[in-house]
């Protein structure tokens, strides 16, 4: 299982698309590692610096419809090679969400209110999140506060995370 | 309780339900291109599982960057080419025979009503125009599709869009779908199938239906779908004539692939398109749509006519109809990419290529080309493109570039003026 605990990157925007996560011109790479420097290079978000801001982060917290657009699995891979294995959002584009779980990564959906709460309470602070997948809990903490938030993950998605992805599971079962 | 078309296809293809709402479907087609497939191939090789479930059900094409533009794209093509040869994948389309995936695969008759289709490409939803469930997937799903011929889906709910009335001159399927995306928003159909029905769809050619279904993903949709009818049978007839004694018999067989009258929908939208105006996007999301009238006078630097949305013969005819006898503005560059070799040949025969060239367009070989900003017409920072493609994301056609999506007719008129304008000014 991948590492699901660490520092949080807040991206305060909806509809962040796959071209922003990894621009098409890098799709000529045939290893995942080669994508490392280009993650979120074209993100349109004022004052975001893709070199500095993603350093040491493990979890992204963002708004609606994250990962819309292209089917490119390069999007989760670009996150993965930068150590980011979890994205928490109000909802995701279907293909991106499936790609995350297929890679044994997590795309967690929380209600609008809970996302709003995370932004209001933690954005701008040094925040960490730990995912307790056995008990469906997110543990959030910053310098001055800490709390637990429940989340739901489907059985299929959970199985993919625990077994490390879809290829192994499918090979065993079909 | 009746069933939707998608439910019927799921029922006919389900091989397992390992968890609640996890439907593992048998695949009729796995389509591949050179951008998302090579990593699946190299991963399968690394796992010691370099096999394919059925070479006759796998179809592959090099389309995104062709001819190769550099060593990396040459390598991607080579991995796909070697793999197709190694596994005896007969339907592999290489340079000289290749075209944009979602145009060439239907043209070859690879998609049939009731089929399940996946491809490592988000616009796979295009093939739903034939009454199929066709979904874009990532490389891992593609890899499992190649290896095992299955793919897992959560059950998609269906949104029904009923289109009534008749389109005015100068209004096309592209304008209709831009309008629908504006109504649904970029997230409005996420995890859902969009069913396009009604008299407007019934009257549409397969090409126009593909234009509609192509952009279902821009509203988040898993697949667009249209019901198969005589238009579908006519389009496929050359490929299916040995399977049926008459077109009527084919129609009867295919007619089972439609929703029941009492099927349950997530939502039903009903529109009358009679007063619909030509539409165009502004901004960098496909649901940011205005009428051409509102955007008239917006200056552009480049025109791109092509892609899996609007690179088919019908599209080239519409654009040529506007361009005939005109020259494009000195302030713009025009690029047209016929989507397949057959479309290119047909356009040559009809004198369409000549019209484009006389007007000042550059005619490229069939390829995705400028659509995704990887080759053949990348924009410079700050440049604006009037494009018949499907995605206007920030930087889609080149870093710092801006894209306005529109119909081929509007794009042609815009080329002449150098500014966004209604095509009706240029028609007899
Ligand atoms: S034409 Fe554009 S949208 Fe269509 S498959 Fe090619 S790159 Fe994708």
């Amino acid at each position: 299982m991948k590492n699901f605990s660490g520092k949080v990157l807040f991206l305060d925007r909806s509809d962040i698309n796959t071209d922003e996560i990894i621009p098409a011109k890098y799709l000529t790479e045939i290893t995942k590692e080669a994508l490392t420097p280009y993650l979120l290079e074209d993100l349109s978000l004022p004052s975001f610096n893709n070199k500095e801001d993603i350093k040491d982060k493990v979890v992204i917290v963002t708004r609606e419809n994250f990962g819309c657009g292209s089917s490119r699995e390069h999007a989760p891979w670009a996150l993965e090679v930068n150590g980011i294995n979890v994205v928490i959002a109000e909802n995701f584009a279907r293909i991106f969400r499936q790609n995350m779980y297929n890679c044994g990564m997590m795309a967690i959906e929380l209600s609008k209110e809970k996302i709003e709460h995370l932004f209001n309470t933690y954005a701008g602070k040094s925040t960490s999140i730990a995912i307790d997948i056995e008990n469906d809990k997110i543990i959030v903490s910053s310098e001055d506060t800490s709390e637990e938030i429940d989340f739901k993950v489907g059985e299929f998605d959970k199985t993919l995370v625990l077994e490390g992805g879809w290829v192994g599971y499918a090979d065993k079962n079909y | 309780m009746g069933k939707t078309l998608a439910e019927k296809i799921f029922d006919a293809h389900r091989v397992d339900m390992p968890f609640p709402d996890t439907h593992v479907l048998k695949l009729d087609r796995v389509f591949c291109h050179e951008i998302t497939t090579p990593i699946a191939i190299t991963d399968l090789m690394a796992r010691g599982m370099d096999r394919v479930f059925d070479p006759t059900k796998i179809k592959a094409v090099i389309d995104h960057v062709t001819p190769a533009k550099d060593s990396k794209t040459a390598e991607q093509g080579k991995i796909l080419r070697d793999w197709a040869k190694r596994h005896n994948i007969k339907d592999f389309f290489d340079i000289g025979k290749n075209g944009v995936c979602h145009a060439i695969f239907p043209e070859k008759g690879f998609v049939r009503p009731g089929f399940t289709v996946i491809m490592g490409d988000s616009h796979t939803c295009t093939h739903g125009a034939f009454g199929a469930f066709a979904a874009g997937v990532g490389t891992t799903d593609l890899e499992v599709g190649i290896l095992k011929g299955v793919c897992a889906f959560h059950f998609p709910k269906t949104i029904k869009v009923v289109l009534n009335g008749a389109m005015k001159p100068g209004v096309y399927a592209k304008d209709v779908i831009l309008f629908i995306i504006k109504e649904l928003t970029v997230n409005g159909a996420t995890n859902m199938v969009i069913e396009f029905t009604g008299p407007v769809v019934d009257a549409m050619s397969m090409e126009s239906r593909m234009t509609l279904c192509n952009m279902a993903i821009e509203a988040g949709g898993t697949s667009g779908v249209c019901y198969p009818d005589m238009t579908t049978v006519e389009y496929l007839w050359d490929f299916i004539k040995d399977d049926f004694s008459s077109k009527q018999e084919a129609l009867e067989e295919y007619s089972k692939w439609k929703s029941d009258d009492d099927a349950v929908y997530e939502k039903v939208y009903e529109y009358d398109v009679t007063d619909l105006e030509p539409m165009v996007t502004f901004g960098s999301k496909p649901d940011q749509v205005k009428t051409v009238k509102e955007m008239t006078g917006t200056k552009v630097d480049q025109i791109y006519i092509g892609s899996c949305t609007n690179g088919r013969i019908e599209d080239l005819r519409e654009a040529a109809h506007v361009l005939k006898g005109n020259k494009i503005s000195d302030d713009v560059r025009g690029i047209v990419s016929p989507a397949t070799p057959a479309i290119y040949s047909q356009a040559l025969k009809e004198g369409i290529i000549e019209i484009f060239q006389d007007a000042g367009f550059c005619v490229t070989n069939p390829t995705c080309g400028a659509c995704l900003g990887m080759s053949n017409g990348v924009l410079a920072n700050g440049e604006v493109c009037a494009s018949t493609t499907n995605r206007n994301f920030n930087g889609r056609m080149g870093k710092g570039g801006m894209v306005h999506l529109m119909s081929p007719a509007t794009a042609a008129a815009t080329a002449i003026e150098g500014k966004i304008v209604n095509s009706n000014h240029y028609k007899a």
Side-chain angles (χ1 to χ4, degrees):
Chain A
M1 213 169 65
K2 296 195 168 15
N3 170 37
F4 298 123
S5 301
K7 286 193 187 157
V8 182
L9 169 63
F10 286 91
L11 299 177
D12 193 0
R13 230 199 72 200
S14 290
D15 305 316
I16 291 176
N17 65 58
T18 46
D19 283 64
E20 290 177 286
I21 300 169
I22 186 80
K25 63 180 178 226
Y26 303 121
L27 303 187
T28 58
E29 300 296 346
I30 47 173
T31 67
K32 300 177 185 180
E33 289 68 29
L35 303 171
T36 310
Y38 311 122
L39 175 65
L40 292 166
E41 184 182 271
D42 277 356
L43 180 65
S44 144
L45 188 67
S47 80
F48 175 76
N49 177 323
N50 85 312
K51 296 281 174 306
E52 287 305 310
D53 296 354
I54 58 182
K55 218 184 265 167
D56 306 324
K57 302 297 193 315
V58 177
V59 180
I60 286 176
V61 173
T62 182
R63 303 276 183 180
E64 273 185 83
N65 199 27
F66 186 83
C68 60
S70 149
S71 64
R72 64 189 67 157
E73 206 158 300
H74 305 69
W77 295 335
L79 294 168
E80 183 186 11
V81 293
N82 278 283
I84 298 174
N85 292 322
V86 188
V87 182
I88 301 174
E90 275 176 48
N91 49 50
F92 295 90
R94 181 192 68 85
I95 305 174
F96 176 83
R97 185 183 177 288
Q98 193 61 49
N99 286 345
M100 288 287 282
Y101 284 104
N102 281 349
C103 293
M105 299 160 75
M106 297 192 78
I108 298 174
E109 280 155 332
L110 292 182
S111 68
K112 197 179 192 71
E113 293 69 37
K114 284 183 183 168
I115 293 286
E116 190 64 39
H117 168 73
L118 286 177
F119 272 98
N120 288 342
T121 318
Y122 298 99
K125 298 181 191 162
S126 169
T127 304
S128 295
I129 280 182
I131 309 292
D132 177 356
I133 186 163
E134 295 301 330
N135 300 302
D136 296 349
K137 283 196 192 312
I138 296 168
I139 302 119
V140 201
S141 52
S142 70
E143 304 96 341
D144 44 9
T145 24
S146 170
E147 65 185 301
E148 283 186 5
I149 297 174
D150 293 333
F151 74 98
K152 274 205 198 84
V153 56
E155 278 182 62
F156 180 49
D157 297 336
K158 193 182 252 184
T159 305
L160 294 180
V161 171
L162 296 174
E163 300 209 2
W166 172 226
V167 179
Y169 180 88
D171 190 48
K172 210 162 38 178
N173 291 281
Y174 303 106
Chain B
M1 200 175 73
K3 289 184 170 165
T4 62
L5 172 53
E7 283 178 285
K8 290 182 185 183
I9 296 177
F10 269 54
D11 286 350
H13 290 81
R14 194 179 292 104
V15 290
D16 191 18
M17 235 177 115
F19 304 102
D21 192 31
T22 305
H23 306 251
V24 179
L25 305 185
K26 181 165 69 71
L27 299 171
D28 296 305
R29 290 287 179 264
V30 176
F31 292 155
C32 300
H33 66 52
E34 89 284 13
I35 299 294
T36 50
T37 317
I39 296 194
I41 295 169
T42 50
D43 192 60
L44 285 171
M45 291 170 75
R47 290 172 188 264
M49 303 195 291
D50 181 23
R51 302 185 299 268
V52 303
F53 83 108
D54 182 347
T56 65
K57 291 182 176 160
I58 299 176
K59 316 287 175 184
V61 67
I62 297 178
D63 63 348
H64 277 57
V65 184
T66 177
K69 64 169 176 163
D70 55 17
S71 307
K72 284 181 178 170
T73 50
E75 183 63 25
Q76 288 180 307
K78 181 172 161 41
I79 293 173
L80 194 70
R81 186 179 298 120
D82 292 350
W83 171 76
K85 194 168 264 171
R86 194 159 71 237
H87 294 291
N88 205 18
I89 295 166
K90 293 264 165 43
D91 292 312
F92 166 61
F93 302 94
D94 206 340
I95 195 151
K97 301 185 183 69
N98 57 358
V100 178
C101 50
H102 309 306
I104 200 163
F105 292 147
E107 191 183 276
K108 299 284 178 189
F110 294 154
V111 189
R112 307 287 165 76
F115 268 20
T116 48
V117 182
I118 63 162
M119 178 171 196
D121 192 284
S122 62
H123 294 100
T124 305
C125 50
T126 312
H127 307 282
F130 291 83
F133 175 77
V137 297
T139 292
T140 301
D141 273 340
L142 178 71
E143 191 172 327
V144 170
I146 288 169
L147 186 66
K148 298 282 172 179
V150 298
C151 192
F153 290 95
H154 296 293
F155 189 78
K157 293 176 174 154
T158 298
I159 290 179
K160 181 174 177 164
V161 177
V162 187
L163 299 170
N164 296 315
M167 292 181 282
K168 284 194 290 214
V171 178
Y172 303 91
K174 182 61 161 287
D175 302 298
V176 174
I177 189 63
L178 287 174
F179 167 76
I180 293 170
I181 293 163
K182 177 185 179 208
E183 295 285 303
L184 261 55
T185 77
V186 288
N187 199 10
T190 301
N191 297 318
M192 295 184 225
V193 165
I194 310 178
E195 229 176 74
F196 300 100
T197 66
V200 175
V201 184
D202 295 344
M204 276 182 183
S205 64
M206 286 312 298
E207 283 85 350
S208 290
R209 293 178 194 179
M210 285 190 255
T211 302
L212 284 186
C213 292
N214 175 270
M215 292 191 71
I217 182 72
E218 306 311 328
T222 304
S223 186
V225 287
C226 301
Y227 299 154
D229 60 6
M230 203 38 128
T231 306
T232 321
V233 172
E234 295 277 4
Y235 186 98
L236 289 174
W237 186 243
D238 275 351
F239 308 102
I240 60 174
K241 58 178 182 246
D242 295 337
D243 303 337
F244 299 102
S245 63
S246 67
K247 290 181 182 171
Q248 199 53 41
E249 190 192 297
L251 179 63
E252 270 158 40
E253 167 67 18
Y254 288 162
S255 294
K256 68 178 186 219
W257 300 113
K258 64 197 251 184
S259 298
D260 296 327
D261 291 339
D262 55 345
V264 180
Y265 291 97
E266 180 68 10
K267 268 185 195 155
V268 179
Y269 295 86
E270 201 153 347
Y271 301 109
D272 189 314
V273 302
T274 310
D275 294 326
L276 189 74
E277 296 272 328
M279 308 301 272
V280 52
T281 60
F282 63 99
S284 57
K285 293 199 297 167
D287 62 357
Q288 294 178 299
V289 175
K290 288 184 180 177
T291 61
V292 167
K293 212 181 265 167
E294 288 171 285
M295 294 288 287
T296 300
T298 307
K299 283 183 80 168
V300 303
D301 303 291
Q302 178 169 297
I303 318 297
Y304 184 63
I305 298 178
S307 86
C308 58
T309 320
N310 284 125
R312 298 187 179 82
I313 190 69
E314 174 178 292
D315 304 311
L316 303 192
R317 282 185 193 130
E318 293 301 345
H321 188 58
V322 173
L323 287 173
K324 194 168 184 179
N326 291 299
K327 298 265 181 240
I328 68 173
S329 157
D330 287 340
D331 298 331
V332 300
R333 306 158 329 243
I335 302 170
V336 55
S337 302
T340 70
I343 294 166
Y344 198 129
S345 302
Q346 184 63 27
L348 261 178
K349 254 184 244 158
E350 293 181 22
I352 289 171
I353 297 295
E354 202 179 338
I355 294 172
F356 272 109
Q357 287 188 322
D358 287 349
F361 264 79
C362 159
V363 184
T364 81
N365 63 298
T367 172
C368 296
C371 173
L372 81 168
M374 282 179 84
S375 66
N376 272 9
V378 180
L379 300 176
N381 190 17
E383 285 191 324
V384 180
C385 186
S387 178
T388 68
T389 54
N390 46 39
R391 222 163 244 169
N392 56 343
F393 292 165
N394 182 28
R396 169 80 178 175
M397 291 177 87
K399 200 175 174 74
M402 163 92 193
V403 181
H404 295 288
L405 305 176
M406 59 186 72
S407 75
T410 307
T414 300
I416 299 167
E417 292 271 324
K419 296 175 194 142
I420 293 177
V421 67
N422 191 314
S423 67
N424 284 340
H425 300 304
Y426 291 96
K427 284 192 196 155

